[in-house]
Amino acid sequence: MIKCIATDMDGTLLNAKQEVSEENIRAIHAAQEKGIDFVLVTGRAYNEVRYVLRKTGLTLPAICVNGGEIRDIEGNVSYSVGLDGPTGAKITSVFEDLDIYFELYTTEGTYTTDYEKGIQVLVDIYHTANPSQDVDKIRESADERFNQRLIHVIDNFNPIFDASDCHVYKFLAFSMDEELLMEASERLKKIGGLEVTSSGRNNLEVMHHEARKGNALRRYVEDKGISLEETMAMGDNYNDLSMLKIVGHSVAMGNSEPEIKDICKYETDTNDENGVAKAIMKALVQMEATQ
């Protein structure tokens, strides 16, 4: 019996247009009508989650910044864990030494010191994956997405790290050079106390070692009186592993990395083929058949 469904957003619930399809919206409503708790589990900050939800009419609780915080259906924070200033400064030194573009997620918002480099990195990544797309249109979309995410441009991060109440949820770094990202990952692991993962081949995500999707999802369902065996989770990439490994019903997207498919019990279609909706409806049919 499934009592909770958790889904990743990028590459899972969202299609290539960064939208939630009508099929996925209907399936979520169908699950809710059956009394199933539905929660988003994402690497995105809450303001980005809220932006997406406004377009769908859905009202959902969310586990954000890879487990860095849990938000209830009204957006109130019920749990959070982050990095302190000295640790943030050490991570920054690694990325700056390797000249890797990165963004900083905090309780006050998302920050960067180089808007143009951030846009260019997004354009390069998207154009590599979609070479037939017009670069100017990609640039326009990148600008729009950058602004939607409400990223603040500042001169340096020292004021953030020096603050007595510094609370850094996540570092998100981008590079087309996968070997460079691997070098950064190895250096970061030497710092200790960090969770270093990825939501795609061209990025690194760095958080407090307790900030994992699996840890936050475990906390979320326990607070609801639901067991992990009664929980279904869907994802597509490495930062989803911690939650997919612990639930009773793990579902890999058709576009998932091979390692994700290997550890999941089930596989659905891709995010552009409404894989989330199909997995939900299949689970609901199976539940009705056993009742």
CSV table of all heavy atoms in Angstrom, one decimal, residues 23-77:
chain,number,residue,atom,x,y,z
A,23,GLU,N,-0.6,15.8,-18.2
A,23,GLU,CA,-0.8,14.4,-17.8
A,23,GLU,C,-0.2,14.2,-16.4
A,23,GLU,O,-0.8,13.5,-15.6
A,23,GLU,CB,0.0,13.5,-18.8
A,23,GLU,CG,-0.7,13.4,-20.1
A,23,GLU,CD,-0.3,14.5,-21.1
A,23,GLU,OE1,0.3,15.5,-20.6
A,23,GLU,OE2,-0.5,14.4,-22.3
A,24,ASN,N,0.9,14.8,-16.1
A,24,ASN,CA,1.5,14.7,-14.8
A,24,ASN,C,0.7,15.4,-13.7
A,24,ASN,O,0.5,14.8,-12.6
A,24,ASN,CB,2.9,15.3,-14.8
A,24,ASN,CG,4.0,14.4,-15.4
A,24,ASN,OD1,3.7,13.2,-15.7
A,24,ASN,ND2,5.1,14.9,-15.7
A,25,ILE,N,0.1,16.5,-14.1
A,25,ILE,CA,-0.8,17.2,-13.1
A,25,ILE,C,-2.0,16.4,-12.8
A,25,ILE,O,-2.4,16.3,-11.6
A,25,ILE,CB,-1.2,18.6,-13.7
A,25,ILE,CG1,0.0,19.5,-13.8
A,25,ILE,CG2,-2.3,19.3,-12.8
A,25,ILE,CD1,-0.2,20.8,-14.5
A,26,ARG,N,-2.6,15.8,-13.8
A,26,ARG,CA,-3.8,15.0,-13.6
A,26,ARG,C,-3.5,13.8,-12.7
A,26,ARG,O,-4.3,13.4,-11.8
A,26,ARG,CB,-4.4,14.6,-14.9
A,26,ARG,CG,-5.1,15.7,-15.7
A,26,ARG,CD,-6.0,15.1,-16.7
A,26,ARG,NE,-5.3,14.5,-17.8
A,26,ARG,CZ,-4.8,15.1,-18.9
A,26,ARG,NH1,-5.0,16.4,-19.1
A,26,ARG,NH2,-4.1,14.4,-19.8
A,27,ALA,N,-2.3,13.2,-13.0
A,27,ALA,CA,-1.9,12.0,-12.2
A,27,ALA,C,-1.7,12.3,-10.7
A,27,ALA,O,-2.1,11.6,-9.8
A,27,ALA,CB,-0.7,11.4,-12.8
A,28,ILE,N,-1.1,13.5,-10.5
A,28,ILE,CA,-0.9,13.9,-9.1
A,28,ILE,C,-2.2,14.1,-8.4
A,28,ILE,O,-2.4,13.7,-7.2
A,28,ILE,CB,0.0,15.2,-9.1
A,28,ILE,CG1,1.4,14.9,-9.5
A,28,ILE,CG2,0.0,15.8,-7.6
A,28,ILE,CD1,2.3,16.1,-9.7
A,29,HIS,N,-3.1,14.8,-9.1
A,29,HIS,CA,-4.5,15.0,-8.5
A,29,HIS,C,-5.1,13.6,-8.2
A,29,HIS,O,-5.8,13.5,-7.2
A,29,HIS,CB,-5.3,15.8,-9.4
A,29,HIS,CG,-5.0,17.3,-9.4
A,29,HIS,ND1,-5.0,18.0,-8.2
A,29,HIS,CD2,-4.8,18.1,-10.4
A,29,HIS,CE1,-4.7,19.3,-8.5
A,29,HIS,NE2,-4.6,19.4,-9.8
A,30,ALA,N,-4.9,12.7,-9.1
A,30,ALA,CA,-5.5,11.3,-8.9
A,30,ALA,C,-5.0,10.7,-7.7
A,30,ALA,O,-5.7,10.0,-6.9
A,30,ALA,CB,-5.3,10.5,-10.2
A,31,ALA,N,-3.7,10.8,-7.5
A,31,ALA,CA,-3.0,10.2,-6.3
A,31,ALA,C,-3.5,10.9,-5.0
A,31,ALA,O,-3.9,10.2,-4.0
A,31,ALA,CB,-1.5,10.4,-6.4
A,32,GLN,N,-3.7,12.2,-5.0
A,32,GLN,CA,-4.2,13.0,-3.9
A,32,GLN,C,-5.6,12.6,-3.5
A,32,GLN,O,-6.0,12.5,-2.4
A,32,GLN,CB,-4.0,14.5,-4.1
A,32,GLN,CG,-2.6,14.9,-4.1
A,32,GLN,CD,-2.5,16.4,-4.5
A,32,GLN,OE1,-3.2,16.9,-5.3
A,32,GLN,NE2,-1.5,17.1,-3.8
A,33,GLU,N,-6.4,12.4,-4.6
A,33,GLU,CA,-7.8,12.0,-4.4
A,33,GLU,C,-7.9,10.6,-3.7
A,33,GLU,O,-8.9,10.3,-3.0
A,33,GLU,CB,-8.5,12.0,-5.7
A,33,GLU,CG,-8.8,13.4,-6.2
A,33,GLU,CD,-9.3,13.3,-7.7
A,33,GLU,OE1,-9.5,12.2,-8.2
A,33,GLU,OE2,-9.5,14.4,-8.3
A,34,LYS,N,-6.9,9.8,-3.8
A,34,LYS,CA,-6.8,8.5,-3.1
A,34,LYS,C,-6.2,8.6,-1.7
A,34,LYS,O,-6.1,7.6,-1.0
A,34,LYS,CB,-6.0,7.5,-4.0
A,34,LYS,CG,-6.6,7.2,-5.3
A,34,LYS,CD,-7.8,6.3,-5.2
A,34,LYS,CE,-8.3,5.9,-6.5
A,34,LYS,NZ,-9.6,5.1,-6.4
A,35,GLY,N,-5.9,9.9,-1.3
A,35,GLY,CA,-5.4,10.1,0.0
A,35,GLY,C,-3.9,9.9,0.1
A,35,GLY,O,-3.4,9.8,1.2
A,36,ILE,N,-3.2,9.8,-1.0
A,36,ILE,CA,-1.8,9.7,-1.0
A,36,ILE,C,-1.1,11.0,-0.8
A,36,ILE,O,-1.4,12.0,-1.5
A,36,ILE,CB,-1.3,9.0,-2.3
A,36,ILE,CG1,-1.9,7.6,-2.4
A,36,ILE,CG2,0.2,9.0,-2.4
A,36,ILE,CD1,-1.6,6.9,-3.7
A,37,ASP,N,-0.1,11.1,0.1
A,37,ASP,CA,0.6,12.3,0.3
A,37,ASP,C,1.6,12.4,-0.9
A,37,ASP,O,2.3,11.5,-1.2
A,37,ASP,CB,1.4,12.2,1.6
A,37,ASP,CG,2.0,13.5,2.1
A,37,ASP,OD1,2.9,14.0,1.4
A,37,ASP,OD2,1.6,14.0,3.1
A,38,PHE,N,1.7,13.6,-1.5
A,38,PHE,CA,2.6,13.8,-2.6
A,38,PHE,C,3.6,14.9,-2.3
A,38,PHE,O,3.2,16.0,-1.9
A,38,PHE,CB,1.8,14.2,-3.8
A,38,PHE,CG,2.6,14.0,-5.1
A,38,PHE,CD1,2.4,12.8,-5.8
A,38,PHE,CD2,3.5,14.9,-5.6
A,38,PHE,CE1,3.1,12.6,-7.0
A,38,PHE,CE2,4.2,14.7,-6.8
A,38,PHE,CZ,4.0,13.6,-7.5
A,39,VAL,N,4.9,14.7,-2.4
A,39,VAL,CA,5.9,15.7,-2.0
A,39,VAL,C,7.0,15.8,-3.1
A,39,VAL,O,7.4,14.8,-3.7
A,39,VAL,CB,6.5,15.3,-0.7
A,39,VAL,CG1,7.2,13.9,-0.7
A,39,VAL,CG2,7.6,16.3,-0.2
A,40,LEU,N,7.4,17.0,-3.4
A,40,LEU,CA,8.5,17.2,-4.3
A,40,LEU,C,9.8,17.1,-3.6
A,40,LEU,O,9.9,17.6,-2.4
A,40,LEU,CB,8.4,18.6,-4.9
A,40,LEU,CG,7.1,19.0,-5.7
A,40,LEU,CD1,7.1,20.4,-6.1
A,40,LEU,CD2,7.0,18.0,-6.9
A,41,VAL,N,10.8,16.5,-4.2
A,41,VAL,CA,12.1,16.4,-3.6
A,41,VAL,C,13.1,16.8,-4.6
A,41,VAL,O,13.4,16.1,-5.6
A,41,VAL,CB,12.4,14.9,-3.1
A,41,VAL,CG1,13.7,14.9,-2.4
A,41,VAL,CG2,11.3,14.3,-2.3
A,42,THR,N,13.7,18.0,-4.4
A,42,THR,CA,14.5,18.6,-5.5
A,42,THR,C,15.8,19.3,-5.0
A,42,THR,O,15.9,19.6,-3.8
A,42,THR,CB,13.6,19.7,-6.2
A,42,THR,OG1,14.3,20.4,-7.2
A,42,THR,CG2,13.1,20.7,-5.2
A,43,GLY,N,16.6,19.5,-6.0
A,43,GLY,CA,17.8,20.3,-5.7
A,43,GLY,C,17.6,21.8,-5.8
A,43,GLY,O,18.4,22.6,-5.4
A,44,ARG,N,16.4,22.2,-6.2
A,44,ARG,CA,16.1,23.6,-6.4
A,44,ARG,C,15.8,24.3,-5.1
A,44,ARG,O,15.4,23.6,-4.1
A,44,ARG,CB,14.8,23.7,-7.3
A,44,ARG,CG,15.0,23.3,-8.7
A,44,ARG,CD,13.8,23.6,-9.6
A,44,ARG,NE,14.0,23.3,-11.0
A,44,ARG,CZ,13.6,24.0,-12.0
A,44,ARG,NH1,12.9,25.1,-11.7
A,44,ARG,NH2,13.8,23.6,-13.2
A,45,ALA,N,16.0,25.6,-5.1
A,45,ALA,CA,15.6,26.4,-3.9
A,45,ALA,C,14.1,26.6,-3.9
A,45,ALA,O,13.4,26.4,-5.0
A,45,ALA,CB,16.3,27.8,-4.0
A,46,TYR,N,13.5,26.9,-2.8
A,46,TYR,CA,12.1,27.0,-2.7
A,46,TYR,C,11.4,28.0,-3.6
A,46,TYR,O,10.4,27.8,-4.2
A,46,TYR,CB,11.6,27.3,-1.3
A,46,TYR,CG,10.1,27.2,-1.1
A,46,TYR,CD1,9.4,26.1,-1.2
A,46,TYR,CD2,9.4,28.4,-0.8
A,46,TYR,CE1,8.0,26.0,-1.1
A,46,TYR,CE2,8.0,28.4,-0.7
A,46,TYR,CZ,7.3,27.2,-0.8
A,46,TYR,OH,6.0,27.1,-0.7
A,47,ASN,N,12.1,29.1,-3.8
A,47,ASN,CA,11.5,30.1,-4.7
A,47,ASN,C,11.4,29.6,-6.2
A,47,ASN,O,10.5,29.9,-6.9
A,47,ASN,CB,12.4,31.4,-4.7
A,47,ASN,CG,13.7,31.3,-5.3
A,47,ASN,OD1,14.6,30.5,-4.8
A,47,ASN,ND2,14.0,31.9,-6.4
A,48,GLU,N,12.3,28.7,-6.6
A,48,GLU,CA,12.2,28.1,-7.9
A,48,GLU,C,11.1,27.1,-7.9
A,48,GLU,O,10.4,27.0,-8.9
A,48,GLU,CB,13.5,27.4,-8.2
A,48,GLU,CG,14.8,28.3,-8.3
A,48,GLU,CD,16.0,27.6,-8.5
A,48,GLU,OE1,16.1,26.8,-9.5
A,48,GLU,OE2,17.0,27.7,-7.7
A,49,VAL,N,10.9,26.4,-6.8
A,49,VAL,CA,9.8,25.4,-6.8
A,49,VAL,C,8.5,26.1,-6.8
A,49,VAL,O,7.6,25.7,-7.6
A,49,VAL,CB,9.9,24.6,-5.4
A,49,VAL,CG1,8.7,23.7,-5.3
A,49,VAL,CG2,11.2,23.8,-5.4
A,50,ARG,N,8.4,27.2,-6.1
A,50,ARG,CA,7.1,28.0,-6.1
A,50,ARG,C,6.8,28.6,-7.4
A,50,ARG,O,5.6,28.6,-7.8
A,50,ARG,CB,7.3,29.1,-5.0
A,50,ARG,CG,6.0,29.9,-4.7
A,50,ARG,CD,6.2,30.8,-3.6
A,50,ARG,NE,7.4,31.7,-3.8
A,50,ARG,CZ,7.9,32.4,-2.9
A,50,ARG,NH1,7.5,32.4,-1.7
A,50,ARG,NH2,9.0,33.2,-3.2
A,51,TYR,N,7.8,29.0,-8.2
A,51,TYR,CA,7.6,29.5,-9.5
A,51,TYR,C,7.0,28.5,-10.4
A,51,TYR,O,6.1,28.7,-11.2
A,51,TYR,CB,9.0,30.0,-10.1
A,51,TYR,CG,8.9,30.5,-11.5
A,51,TYR,CD1,8.5,31.9,-11.7
A,51,TYR,CD2,9.1,29.7,-12.6
A,51,TYR,CE1,8.4,32.3,-13.0
A,51,TYR,CE2,9.0,30.2,-13.9
A,51,TYR,CZ,8.6,31.5,-14.1
A,51,TYR,OH,8.5,32.0,-15.4
A,52,VAL,N,7.5,27.2,-10.3
A,52,VAL,CA,7.0,26.1,-11.2
A,52,VAL,C,5.6,25.8,-10.8
A,52,VAL,O,4.7,25.6,-11.6
A,52,VAL,CB,7.9,24.9,-11.1
A,52,VAL,CG1,7.2,23.7,-11.8
A,52,VAL,CG2,9.3,25.2,-11.7
A,53,LEU,N,5.3,25.7,-9.5
A,53,LEU,CA,4.0,25.3,-9.0
A,53,LEU,C,2.9,26.3,-9.3
A,53,LEU,O,1.8,26.0,-9.6
A,53,LEU,CB,4.0,25.1,-7.5
A,53,LEU,CG,4.8,23.9,-7.0
A,53,LEU,CD1,4.7,23.8,-5.4
A,53,LEU,CD2,4.3,22.6,-7.6
A,54,ARG,N,3.3,27.6,-9.4
A,54,ARG,CA,2.3,28.7,-9.7
A,54,ARG,C,1.7,28.4,-11.1
A,54,ARG,O,0.5,28.7,-11.3
A,54,ARG,CB,2.9,30.0,-9.7
A,54,ARG,CG,3.0,30.7,-8.3
A,54,ARG,CD,3.2,32.2,-8.4
A,54,ARG,NE,4.4,32.6,-9.2
A,54,ARG,CZ,5.5,32.9,-8.6
A,54,ARG,NH1,5.6,32.8,-7.2
A,54,ARG,NH2,6.6,33.2,-9.3
A,55,LYS,N,2.4,27.8,-12.0
A,55,LYS,CA,1.9,27.6,-13.3
A,55,LYS,C,1.0,26.3,-13.4
A,55,LYS,O,0.3,26.1,-14.4
A,55,LYS,CB,3.1,27.4,-14.3
A,55,LYS,CG,4.0,28.6,-14.5
A,55,LYS,CD,5.1,28.3,-15.5
A,55,LYS,CE,5.9,29.6,-15.8
A,55,LYS,NZ,6.9,29.3,-16.8
A,56,THR,N,1.1,25.5,-12.4
A,56,THR,CA,0.3,24.2,-12.4
A,56,THR,C,-1.0,24.2,-11.6
A,56,THR,O,-1.8,23.4,-11.9
A,56,THR,CB,1.2,23.1,-11.9
A,56,THR,OG1,1.4,23.3,-10.5
A,56,THR,CG2,2.5,23.0,-12.6
A,57,GLY,N,-1.1,25.1,-10.7
A,57,GLY,CA,-2.2,25.1,-9.8
A,57,GLY,C,-2.1,24.1,-8.7
A,57,GLY,O,-3.0,24.0,-7.8
A,58,LEU,N,-1.0,23.4,-8.6
A,58,LEU,CA,-0.7,22.4,-7.6
A,58,LEU,C,-0.2,23.1,-6.3
A,58,LEU,O,0.5,24.1,-6.4
A,58,LEU,CB,0.3,21.4,-8.0
A,58,LEU,CG,0.0,20.5,-9.2
A,58,LEU,CD1,1.2,19.8,-9.7
A,58,LEU,CD2,-1.1,19.5,-8.7
A,59,THR,N,-0.6,22.6,-5.2
A,59,THR,CA,-0.1,23.1,-3.9
A,59,THR,C,0.5,21.9,-3.2
A,59,THR,O,-0.2,20.9,-2.8
A,59,THR,CB,-1.2,23.7,-3.0
A,59,THR,OG1,-1.9,24.7,-3.7
A,59,THR,CG2,-0.7,24.2,-1.7
A,60,LEU,N,1.8,21.9,-3.0
A,60,LEU,CA,2.5,20.7,-2.6
A,60,LEU,C,3.6,21.0,-1.5
A,60,LEU,O,4.2,22.1,-1.6
A,60,LEU,CB,3.2,19.9,-3.7
A,60,LEU,CG,2.3,19.5,-4.9
A,60,LEU,CD1,3.2,19.0,-6.0
A,60,LEU,CD2,1.4,18.3,-4.4
A,61,PRO,N,3.9,20.1,-0.6
A,61,PRO,CA,5.0,20.3,0.3
A,61,PRO,C,6.3,20.0,-0.5
A,61,PRO,O,6.2,19.4,-1.6
A,61,PRO,CB,4.8,19.3,1.4
A,61,PRO,CG,4.0,18.2,0.7
A,61,PRO,CD,3.1,18.9,-0.3
A,62,ALA,N,7.4,20.5,-0.1
A,62,ALA,CA,8.6,20.3,-0.8
A,62,ALA,C,9.9,20.1,0.0
A,62,ALA,O,10.0,20.8,1.1
A,62,ALA,CB,8.9,21.4,-1.8
A,63,ILE,N,10.7,19.1,-0.3
A,63,ILE,CA,12.0,19.0,0.2
A,63,ILE,C,13.0,19.6,-0.8
A,63,ILE,O,13.0,19.2,-1.9
A,63,ILE,CB,12.4,17.5,0.4
A,63,ILE,CG1,11.5,16.9,1.5
A,63,ILE,CG2,13.8,17.3,0.8
A,63,ILE,CD1,11.6,15.3,1.6
A,64,CYS,N,13.6,20.7,-0.4
A,64,CYS,CA,14.4,21.6,-1.3
A,64,CYS,C,15.9,21.4,-1.1
A,64,CYS,O,16.3,20.8,-0.1
A,64,CYS,CB,14.0,23.0,-1.1
A,64,CYS,SG,12.2,23.3,-1.4
A,65,VAL,N,16.6,22.0,-2.0
A,65,VAL,CA,18.1,22.0,-2.0
A,65,VAL,C,18.7,20.7,-1.5
A,65,VAL,O,19.5,20.6,-0.6
A,65,VAL,CB,18.7,23.2,-1.2
A,65,VAL,CG1,18.6,24.5,-2.0
A,65,VAL,CG2,18.0,23.4,0.2
A,66,ASN,N,18.2,19.6,-2.2
A,66,ASN,CA,18.8,18.3,-1.9
A,66,ASN,C,18.6,17.8,-0.5
A,66,ASN,O,19.5,17.1,0.0
A,66,ASN,CB,20.2,18.2,-2.4
A,66,ASN,CG,20.4,18.1,-3.9
A,66,ASN,OD1,19.5,17.7,-4.6
A,66,ASN,ND2,21.5,18.6,-4.4
A,67,GLY,N,17.6,18.2,0.2
A,67,GLY,CA,17.4,17.8,1.6
A,67,GLY,C,17.9,18.8,2.6
A,67,GLY,O,17.8,18.6,3.8
A,68,GLY,N,18.3,20.0,2.1
A,68,GLY,CA,18.7,21.1,3.0
A,68,GLY,C,17.6,21.6,3.8
A,68,GLY,O,17.8,22.1,4.9
A,69,GLU,N,16.4,21.6,3.3
A,69,GLU,CA,15.2,22.0,4.1
A,69,GLU,C,14.0,21.3,3.7
A,69,GLU,O,13.9,20.8,2.5
A,69,GLU,CB,15.0,23.5,3.9
A,69,GLU,CG,14.6,24.0,2.5
A,69,GLU,CD,14.3,25.5,2.4
A,69,GLU,OE1,14.8,26.2,3.3
A,69,GLU,OE2,13.6,25.9,1.4
A,70,ILE,N,13.0,21.3,4.6
A,70,ILE,CA,11.7,20.7,4.3
A,70,ILE,C,10.7,21.8,4.5
A,70,ILE,O,10.7,22.5,5.5
A,70,ILE,CB,11.4,19.6,5.3
A,70,ILE,CG1,12.4,18.4,5.1
A,70,ILE,CG2,10.0,19.0,5.0
A,70,ILE,CD1,12.2,17.3,6.2
A,71,ARG,N,9.8,22.0,3.5
A,71,ARG,CA,8.8,23.0,3.5
A,71,ARG,C,7.4,22.3,3.5
A,71,ARG,O,7.1,21.4,2.8
A,71,ARG,CB,8.9,23.9,2.3
A,71,ARG,CG,10.2,24.7,2.2
A,71,ARG,CD,10.0,26.1,2.6
A,71,ARG,NE,11.3,26.8,2.4
A,71,ARG,CZ,11.3,28.2,2.5
A,71,ARG,NH1,10.3,28.8,2.8
A,71,ARG,NH2,12.5,28.8,2.2
A,72,ASP,N,6.5,22.9,4.4
A,72,ASP,CA,5.1,22.3,4.4
A,72,ASP,C,4.3,22.9,3.2
A,72,ASP,O,4.9,23.7,2.4
A,72,ASP,CB,4.5,22.5,5.7
A,72,ASP,CG,4.2,24.0,6.1
A,72,ASP,OD1,4.2,24.8,5.2
A,72,ASP,OD2,4.0,24.3,7.3
A,73,ILE,N,3.1,22.6,3.2
A,73,ILE,CA,2.2,23.0,2.0
A,73,ILE,C,2.1,24.5,1.9
A,73,ILE,O,1.8,25.0,0.9
A,73,ILE,CB,0.9,22.2,2.1
A,73,ILE,CG1,0.2,22.2,0.7
A,73,ILE,CG2,0.0,22.9,3.1
A,73,ILE,CD1,-0.9,21.2,0.6
A,74,GLU,N,2.2,25.2,3.1
A,74,GLU,CA,2.2,26.6,3.1
A,74,GLU,C,3.5,27.3,2.8
A,74,GLU,O,3.6,28.5,2.8
A,74,GLU,CB,1.6,27.2,4.4
A,74,GLU,CG,0.1,27.0,4.6
A,74,GLU,CD,-0.3,25.6,5.1
A,74,GLU,OE1,0.6,25.0,5.7
A,74,GLU,OE2,-1.4,25.1,4.8
A,75,GLY,N,4.6,26.5,2.7
A,75,GLY,CA,5.9,27.1,2.5
A,75,GLY,C,6.7,27.3,3.8
A,75,GLY,O,7.8,27.8,3.7
A,76,ASN,N,6.2,26.9,4.9
A,76,ASN,CA,6.9,27.1,6.2
A,76,ASN,C,8.0,26.1,6.3
A,76,ASN,O,7.8,24.9,5.9
A,76,ASN,CB,5.9,27.0,7.4
A,76,ASN,CG,4.8,28.0,7.3
A,76,ASN,OD1,5.0,29.2,7.1
A,76,ASN,ND2,3.6,27.5,7.4
A,77,VAL,N,9.2,26.5,6.8
A,77,VAL,CA,10.3,25.6,7.0
A,77,VAL,C,10.1,24.8,8.3
A,77,VAL,O,10.0,25.4,9.4
A,77,VAL,CB,11.6,26.4,7.1
A,77,VAL,CG1,12.8,25.4,7.3
A,77,VAL,CG2,11.8,27.2,5.8
